[in-house]
């Protein structure tokens, strides 16, 4: 059954009219083992996590860089795991393989494929919002459009093509990365809250 509460699509002009919003909770940049072991347990016990990854852009045709960042978000905590600095820890792999924890994201198939290039694992519990929203009558699929349609606000994508392997990530990069994962969490939550 299709739930037609949401509009099918949205124009660039309609998105521009939406108020700009971003993640305003706690952002933890995980770039060393100490921070990892302090913050990781705070994600455990969550039934739903927003998920995304970032990769340093490559402007050479046919070449793709390895994943630099894995973002996982709850309602008020966003963890940015710099796997180019800390590797791909076993506990994180276990969480990404846990079928009982929903990891909601956009185009997760690609993210998972690239993560498997870092280390082989058996992902489970992932929900690709691009497919999921079809049950709600939504035909748009990009995160920016989905945020506007489902949540009624606009998100900035200005940091998307920046250096995710820079020695230090800027505050703007961190907010962008946290927002992408958090928005996925919020979209899934909103769509399923009354079902």
């Amino acid at each position: 059954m299709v739930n037609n509460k949401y509009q099918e699509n949205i124009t660039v002009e309609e998105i521009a009219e939406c108020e700009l919003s971003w993640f305003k909770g706690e952002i933890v940049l995980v770039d060393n083992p100490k921070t990892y072991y302090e913050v990781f347990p705070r994600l455990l016990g969550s039934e739903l996590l927003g998920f995304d990854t970032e990769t340093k852009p490559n402007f050479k045709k046919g070449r793709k860089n390895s994943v630099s960042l894995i973002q996982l978000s709850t309602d008020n905590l966003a963890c940015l795991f710099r796997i180019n600095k800390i590797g791909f820890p076993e506990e994180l792999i276990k969480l990404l393989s846990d079928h009982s924890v929903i990891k909601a994201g956009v185009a997760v198939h690609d993210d998972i494929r690239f993560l498997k290039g870092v280390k082989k694992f058996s992902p489970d519990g992932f929900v690709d919002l691009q497919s999921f929203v079809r049950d709600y009558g939504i035909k748009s699929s990009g995160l920016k459009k989905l945020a506007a349609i489902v949540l009624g606000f606009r998100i900035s994508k200005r940091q998307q093509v920046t250096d995710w392997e820079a020695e230090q990530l800027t505050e703007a990069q961190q907010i962008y990365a946290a927002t992408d994962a958090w928005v996925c969490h919020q979209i899934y939550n909103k769509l399923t809250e009354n079902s």
Side-chain angles (χ1 to χ4, degrees), residues 16-180:
E17 289 173 17
C18 294
E19 187 178 333
L20 183 66
S21 192
W22 57 90
F23 180 69
K24 297 176 179 88
E26 180 186 359
I27 299 173
V28 180
L29 185 64
V30 183
D31 58 3
N32 63 70
K34 182 178 183 293
T35 306
Y36 172 78
Y37 286 109
E38 283 171 3
V39 75
F40 185 78
R42 293 175 61 192
L43 292 173
L44 302 176
S46 300
E47 294 177 6
L48 168 64
L49 295 169
F51 165 81
D52 195 23
T53 67
E54 301 299 339
T55 301
K56 180 181 177 178
N58 189 328
F59 301 106
K60 291 192 175 107
K61 192 170 167 53
R63 296 216 19 223
K64 184 90 173 120
N65 286 320
S66 190
V67 176
S68 308
L69 195 69
I70 297 173
Q71 303 104 274
L72 291 172
S73 176
T74 66
D75 198 35
N76 52 20
L77 170 68
C79 297
L80 313 181
F81 297 97
R82 296 199 74 185
I83 62 172
N84 62 313
K85 294 208 178 257
I86 65 166
F88 199 179
E90 280 304 315
E91 300 88 352
L92 184 53
I93 291 172
K94 193 173 171 190
L95 180 60
L96 297 180
S97 305
D98 186 342
H99 73 277
S100 70
V101 180
I102 294 166
K103 280 80 62 179
V106 167
V108 295
H109 183 268
D110 292 336
D111 289 331
I112 289 167
R113 187 163 47 91
F114 297 132
L115 281 174
K116 282 181 163 181
V118 176
K119 194 181 269 187
K120 296 276 182 248
F121 72 107
S122 301
D124 205 346
F126 283 88
V127 172
D128 193 330
L129 293 172
Q130 288 181 315
S131 311
F132 190 73
V133 297
R134 290 188 200 128
D135 289 343
Y136 298 84
I138 302 169
K139 294 188 175 164
S140 289
S141 59
L143 189 58
K144 193 170 186 173
K145 286 187 173 188
L146 292 180
I149 290 171
V150 179
L151 304 174
F153 60 72
R154 174 171 52 94
I155 58 171
S156 170
K157 299 301 270 177
R158 283 171 54 201
Q159 296 297 316
Q160 187 171 20
V161 187
T162 59
D163 183 0
W164 293 102
E165 295 195 2
E167 192 52 42
Q168 300 292 325
L169 293 185
T170 66
E171 184 182 13
Q173 282 179 304
Q174 292 180 48
I175 292 169
Y176 167 86
T179 298
D180 271 9

